């Protein structure tokens, strides 16, 4: 089983739609959680950290459910510029590794 | 520098050749990471440096892969006897201090013919 699992999509949604992605992680000792965004043929860039209490940044809301070991990302009022791959990222400190583990990504295509 | 710089941006080589990929992290970032990304996959961890030493090299796939960071800044990923399966984008990232957020370079796209 992969450490971080995501639905690869693609999610094809019209402009203005609300879309949600989920991600599950296998290591219950995971401590830090993030969503990164990756445009086609570009490097991943941090979109937002995910906190236990949930957090919001403009049109983006991230939630963490430790009991079920999943993370979600909600995008409201989708824009064409939101089209990208969204990577779920986890850091499990118990391994002693300070590296982040990435999911395979969920592709979003926002259509006019 | 202002960002993480990686060279070359593209490298085409023949099977069996030796390749070096270079990463120049953000100034002051003590931690440096190498990841590999294949088409349709997320970045896969290779090796992590804290200063000059490799703190975790558990992601290196085999002994053909080696990385150094002799002065705690620039790092070089070295691949010996390249194979077609080594074709991927090699991403370098750095972070400052105890923060968990990584800043990535644009990557080096390696194609082994």
């Amino acid at each position: 089983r992969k450490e971080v699992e995501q639905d690869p999509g693609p999610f094809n949604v019209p402009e203005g739609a609300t879309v949600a992605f989920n991600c599950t992680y296998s290591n219950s000792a995971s401590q830090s959680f993030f969503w990164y965004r990756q445009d086609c043929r570009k490097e991943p860039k941090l979109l937002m950290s995910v906190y236990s209490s949930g957090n919001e940044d403009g049109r983006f809301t991230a939630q963490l459910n430790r009991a079920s070991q999943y993370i979600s990302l909600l995008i409201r009022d989708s824009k064409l510029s939101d089209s990208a791959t969204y990577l779920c990222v986890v850091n499990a400190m118990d391994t002693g590794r300070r590296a982040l583990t990435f999911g395979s990504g969920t592709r979003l295509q926002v259509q006019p | 520098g202002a960002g993480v710089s990686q060279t070359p941006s593209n490298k085409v080589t023949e099977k069996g050749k030796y390749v070096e990929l270079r990463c120049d992290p953000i100034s002051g970032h003590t931690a440096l990471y190498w990841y590999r990304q294949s088409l349709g996959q997320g970045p896969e961890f290779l090796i992590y440096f804290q200063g000059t030493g490799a703190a975790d090299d558990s992601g290196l796939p085999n002994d053909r892969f080696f990385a150094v960071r002799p002065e705690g800044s620039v790092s070089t990923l070295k691949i010996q006897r390249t194979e077609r399966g080594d074709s991927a984008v090699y991403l370098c990232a750095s972070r400052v201090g105890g923060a968990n957020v990584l800043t990535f370079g644009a990557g080096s796209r390696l194609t082994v013919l």
Side-chain angles (χ1 to χ4, degrees), chain B:
Chain B
V4 178
S5 175
Q6 291 188 247
T7 56
S9 54
N10 276 287
K11 175 71 176 179
V12 180
T13 191
E14 292 179 343
K15 181 175 178 295
K17 298 291 188 184
Y18 170 79
V19 166
E20 286 192 355
L21 307 175
R22 176 191 165 106
C23 173
D24 194 349
I26 293 172
S27 178
H29 281 199
T30 55
L32 184 148
Y33 298 78
W34 284 99
Y35 282 80
R36 176 170 72 173
Q37 187 171 25
S38 300
L39 193 64
Q41 301 297 314
E44 173 194 17
F45 170 75
L46 295 177
I47 186 169
Y48 152 55
F49 286 91
Q50 183 59 47
T52 59
D56 183 352
D57 64 358
S58 61
L60 295 177
N62 52 58
D63 61 6
R64 295 187 298 105
F65 288 75
F66 189 70
V68 295
R69 194 187 186 199
E71 297 177 358
S73 178
V74 171
S75 176
T76 305
L77 178 66
K78 308 181 181 194
I79 310 173
Q80 298 177 320
R81 304 183 304 281
T82 51
E83 299 177 358
R84 291 194 181 88
D86 299 336
S87 297
V89 176
Y90 288 81
L91 293 163
C92 177
S94 68
R95 65 172 172 80
V96 63
N100 273 317
V101 176
L102 298 183
T103 301
F104 283 88
S108 291
R109 182 175 299 274
L110 175 66
T111 303
V112 182
L113 300 176

Side-chain angles (χ1 to χ4, degrees), chain A residues 2 32 34 36 38 41-46 49 87 91 93 95-105, chain B residues 33 35 37 40-43 45 48 56 58-59 91 95 97-107 109:
Chain A
K2 287 185 179 179
S32 304
F34 309 89
Y36 275 67
Q38 186 170 28
R41 300 180 77 88
K42 298 287 189 181
E43 72 273 23
K45 293 183 179 178
L46 178 68
S49 301
L87 298 162
N91 185 0
M93 297 300 292
T95 64
R97 175 196 291 184
R98 291 304 304 278
L100 303 182
T101 301
F102 286 75
S104 295
Chain B
Y33 298 78
Y35 282 80
Q37 187 171 25
Q41 301 297 314
F45 170 75
Y48 152 55
D56 183 352
S58 61
L91 293 163
R95 65 172 172 80
N100 273 317
V101 176
L102 298 183
T103 301
F104 283 88
R109 182 175 299 274

